[in-house]
Amino acid sequence: MSAPELDFVPVPVPRPNGRARGTGTTAIAREAAPEDQAAAAAPSMRRLREDRERLRALTVAGHEPAIERQHGLGKRTARERLEMLLDDGSFIEIEMFRRHQAHGLKLGGNRPATDGVVAGSGTVYGRRVFVYAQDFTVFGGSLGQAHASKIHKVMDLALENGAPLIGLNDSGGARIQEGVMALDGYGGIFRRNVEASGVIPQISVILGPCAGGAAYSPALTDFTFMVRDTAQMYLTGPDVVEAVSGKRVTHAELGGADVHGGRTGVATFVYDDEETCLEEVRYLLSLLPSNNVEPAPAAARTGATADERPRLAEIVPVEPNKPYDMRQVITELVDDEEFIELHENWAPNVICAFGRIDGEVAGVVANQPMVLAGVLDADAAQKAARFVRFCDAFGIPLVTLVDVPGFLPGVDQEHAGVIRHGAKLLYAYCEATVPRIQVIIRKAYGGAYIVMDSRSIGCDLSLAWPTNEIAVMGAEGAVNVLFRKELIAAADPAALRTELIEEYSAQLMHPYYAAERGLVDDVIDPARTRSVVARGLEMLREKRKPAPRRKHGNTPL
C-alpha cells in the first residue's frame, strides 16, 4: 500500500489588522480527497489555451485536399480572398466555431467549424466594412441554417454600424439536407438586402457558382462583380434547362460573366481574375460613402475651378453626325483622368461612371456617340436610371453630358417596353435631390433631351457648348415633316430642302435659342467645361431639398 498522496495548500498569513494578504504563505500537508484528485487531473489554463490555438489553427488551415481541388478550379479560398480584399491584419472574424445542428442524411457526423462561410469585419483603405465569404471547400459553400445565421448577423452589424457590406459568393446553393430551413435562411438575407438598400452600399462578388435562389441577393445589391471562367449565376442550371427545353447549354453560356456583363446587365463589372476583381472592389469602395448620411470620401483639391482643357475643343466634331468617344470628354473632365465605368459592355450607348472633380466624387451619365449614335433605348434607360437612383440615395452629385439624337425607333424597342423603361430614367432624375448639372455637348432632340436631366425636370445648372442643337428633332427630319407637300410639288426638291433646312436651323436651332428662353444658364467655351462644372458643384454643395411626405413613390418598374 502506497503512502497517502500529499497536497500543499497555501494558507494566508493574517496581517496585524486581521485582513489576509496573498503573500507570505505557510504550507500544511494532508491526504488528498477524491475531488482534489479530479481537480489535479483537470486541464490547466495553459492547456486550455493550447487547445484553443490548435482548434483555431486547424479551422483556419482548412482541409488540404479540398483546398487543392479549389485551387485546381482556378479559385482562391475564402480566407485567401479576404486577405486580398481587406487591409493587412484588419479582419475580425465572428462565429468561427459555429456548426450546423442538423441530423441525418449524411450531416449528423459531419460538422465542420464555420459551416461553410467566413464572416466578420475589416477595413479597406482604413475605412470599416463588413464582409462574408462563402467557403466552397466546406459543403460546397452550400447554405444551411447556421451558415445563413452568420450572414444575417454580419448584415445586421453592417446596417447598425453604417458600413458597406460585401458578399463573396461561391456556393452550390441551398443545402438540400436542411430543407426548408435553408430556404428560410435565403429569405432572411433578401429581407436584409432590401432593408439596407439606400442606407449602406452593398456589393456582391461572384467568384464561383451562385445558383437558384442565391442569385437574388446579388440582384438586390448595388453592384455585382464577376470573374470570367469561374463565376456563374442562374436560377435553373443547364440540366434543368435541357430537361425542360431540350436545349443543351454550358454553365458559361447560361449564366457566365460575359453573359451577365454584356447581355442581361446583371453584372456591373467583369474581370479576368480574382486579384484584379478584388482590387477593383477596393477602388470602388474608395469612391463610395460608408452610408447615406455621410459624404463620399474626398481627395485633395486639384485646382479644377481654374483648369482649362483645350483638348476638349478638339475632341468633339462640329458636324452633328460625326462620332467621337465620349470617354475622352469624361477623361478631360475628371481629376487625374481617372474614372470607373459601370456596365461597360451592357447598353454601351450610355456611359455611367464615378470619378472625382476637384477632389469630390461625382456620378457621370453621358450619351456615347460611338454606339448607335448615342440614342437611348430600353436597356440604356434602365442602366442610367439605376445609377441615378444610387447616386441620389447616397448624396453623390450628378453631371449629365448630353449628345442624344432621340430614342431608338423600331418595332422591337416599342415591344420591349421602351416607354416604360424610359419612364424609369425620367422618374429617377425627377426624384433626385442631389446637385445636378447638365452639359449639352451637341444634339439634344425630342423626348431624349427632356429625359437627360433637362431644366424642365429639375436640373440645377444647365450648360451648353456652342455646338448645341436643342430641338424637337433634327433640321432635316423637321423639314421633311413640315414641308412634305411643298417638297413633292417643287421643281427642284433637293435645292428647296437645303434652303428650308438652313432656315429652320437658323431660326430654331442656333446655339443661343434655349439660352434666350432661360432653358440654358450659359453657353460655355468647351475648353472651360471642367472649371465651370467644378465651380458649379462647389456652388451647389450645400443644396438641401426635402422629399415630399409620402410612404414612397410608385416607380415605373
Side-chain angles (χ1 to χ4, degrees):
M1 184 175 179
S2 59
E5 184 177 355
L6 298 179
D7 189 21
F8 289 89
V9 181
V11 178
V13 177
R15 286 190 179 186
N17 62 5
R19 295 176 56 195
R21 67 180 185 183
T23 59
T25 60
T26 61
I28 59 172
R30 64 174 175 82
E31 183 174 345
E35 58 268 23
D36 296 317
Q37 295 181 37
S44 64
M45 178 60 75
R46 184 180 69 179
R47 182 173 174 182
L48 289 172
R49 293 173 66 193
E50 290 172 350
D51 289 346
R52 171 194 173 278
E53 289 302 317
R54 189 179 301 109
L55 179 58
R56 191 177 187 88
L58 288 171
T59 302
V60 170
H63 186 52
E64 190 60 35
I67 293 172
E68 290 177 2
R69 286 194 297 271
Q70 180 83 342
H71 289 165
L73 294 171
K75 301 193 296 181
R76 302 295 186 110
T77 67
R79 295 184 185 280
E80 289 170 341
R81 290 163 176 166
L82 289 172
E83 286 181 7
M84 289 190 289
L85 174 65
L86 303 173
D87 296 339
D88 291 344
S90 69
F91 183 54
I92 302 170
E93 186 168 354
I94 62 172
E95 297 193 4
M96 173 187 281
F97 302 120
R98 187 74 180 261
R99 301 170 185 263
H100 72 77
Q101 305 301 314
H103 301 283
L105 295 175
K106 300 182 180 180
L107 275 183
N110 187 11
R111 300 175 61 236
T114 75
D115 201 52
V117 62
V118 182
S121 177
T123 60
V124 173
Y125 296 120
R127 297 169 62 223
R128 176 65 51 195
V129 300
F130 287 82
V131 61
Y132 65 86
Q134 292 180 312
D135 187 352
F136 197 78
T137 69
V138 177
F139 293 137
S142 62
L143 183 138
Q145 185 179 22
H147 183 119
S149 294
K150 291 178 66 174
I151 295 176
H152 295 168
K153 180 170 182 177
V154 84
M155 294 178 79
D156 291 341
L157 288 172
L159 189 57
E160 291 164 2
N161 286 275
L165 173 71
I166 308 156
L168 307 185
N169 295 264
D170 188 3
S171 169
R175 193 172 301 165
I176 298 171
Q177 299 97 319
E178 296 199 34
V180 70
M181 297 311 298
L183 301 181
D184 180 71
Y186 275 129
I189 292 172
F190 305 155
R191 175 169 57 83
R192 288 168 172 82
N193 284 138
V194 174
E195 288 175 352
S197 182
V199 182
I200 57 172
Q202 300 181 81
I203 297 174
S204 296
V205 188
I206 316 302
L207 301 165
C210 183
Y216 279 118
S217 180
L220 290 169
T221 58
D222 300 306
F223 307 99
T224 299
F225 289 72
M226 292 186 75
V227 174
R228 287 187 179 92
D229 300 328
T230 57
Q232 308 103 35
M233 257 197 303
Y234 39 69
L235 293 180
T236 54
D239 293 340
V240 177
V241 170
E242 183 177 3
V244 172
S245 67
K247 182 178 180 180
R248 299 189 66 179
V249 63
T250 66
H251 292 278
E253 291 169 341
L254 183 61
D258 287 322
V259 169
H260 290 307
R263 181 175 297 180
T264 70
V266 172
T268 322
F269 304 98
V270 174
Y271 297 101
D272 290 331
D273 56 77
E274 294 189 12
E275 292 83 357
T276 304
C277 179
L278 293 172
E279 185 56 41
E280 289 301 300
V281 173
R282 288 174 58 86
Y283 176 58
L284 176 63
L285 284 165
S286 75
L287 296 169
L288 302 181
S290 293
N291 53 63
N292 64 331
V293 296
E294 294 183 14
R301 293 292 183 91
T302 58
T305 55
D307 190 0
E308 292 201 13
R309 297 295 178 95
R311 188 166 177 269
L312 281 171
E314 303 168 359
I315 292 171
V316 180
V318 173
E319 298 84 354
N321 296 324
K322 283 192 175 181
Y324 63 94
D325 190 349
M326 185 64 84
R327 290 189 185 91
Q328 295 182 32
V329 175
I330 298 173
T331 297
E332 294 294 321
L333 184 65
V334 299
D335 296 350
D336 303 319
E337 301 183 349
E338 187 174 69
F339 61 92
I340 183 169
E341 183 176 351
L342 288 67
H343 295 291
E344 184 175 351
N345 296 314
W346 179 58
N349 41 318
V350 69
I351 297 171
C352 298
F354 289 117
R356 284 192 169 89
I357 299 176
D358 207 19
E360 301 288 341
V361 176
V364 179
V365 180
N367 305 111
Q368 173 56 294
M370 290 287 287
V371 181
L372 299 174
V375 297
L376 289 175
D377 60 9
D379 286 347
Q382 291 183 78
K383 170 181 170 177
R386 183 160 173 79
F387 180 73
V388 168
R389 286 178 65 83
F390 178 87
C391 290
D392 186 52
F394 289 95
I396 298 173
L398 286 160
V399 177
T400 305
L401 308 179
V402 183
D403 191 346
V404 61
F407 279 91
L408 182 63
V411 174
D412 290 344
Q413 280 295 302
E414 296 296 342
H415 290 181
V418 68
I419 296 173
R420 177 167 51 86
H421 296 307
K424 294 177 183 178
L425 181 55
L426 183 61
Y427 192 104
Y429 269 125
C430 288
E431 188 180 45
T433 60
V434 293
R436 293 155 53 187
I437 297 178
Q438 178 197 49
V439 183
I440 301 168
I441 306 294
R442 281 194 318 189
K443 303 179 297 297
Y445 295 162
Y449 154 68
I450 301 173
V451 168
M452 290 295 290
D453 203 19
S454 65
R455 168 60 57 79
S456 59
I457 65 170
C459 84
D460 300 298
L461 191 61
S462 180
L463 309 169
W465 285 15
T467 46
N468 81 83
E469 293 182 354
I470 307 173
V472 174
M473 62 178 68
E476 185 173 348
V479 165
N480 288 336
V481 172
L482 292 173
F483 300 101
R484 180 173 60 86
K485 293 181 179 179
E486 291 84 344
L487 289 169
I488 292 174
D492 188 350
L496 179 59
R497 180 179 287 105
T498 300
E499 179 184 341
L500 291 171
I501 288 173
E502 291 176 355
E503 182 181 351
Y504 181 90
S505 299
Q507 289 187 22
L508 299 176
M509 296 180 66
H510 64 81
Y512 297 92
Y513 184 85
E516 291 171 358
R517 287 153 179 80
L519 299 178
V520 167
D521 290 287
D522 196 6
V523 178
I524 64 173
D525 180 352
R528 298 192 64 244
T529 303
R530 173 169 157 81
S531 62
V532 174
V533 169
R535 293 177 67 190
L537 291 173
E538 186 176 57
M539 176 183 76
L540 298 168
R541 189 164 293 144
E542 301 303 319
K543 177 185 176 183
R544 297 290 182 272
K545 184 179 179 181
R549 290 189 62 186
R550 58 183 175 184
K551 186 174 183 180
H552 57 72
N554 189 15
T555 307
L557 298 172

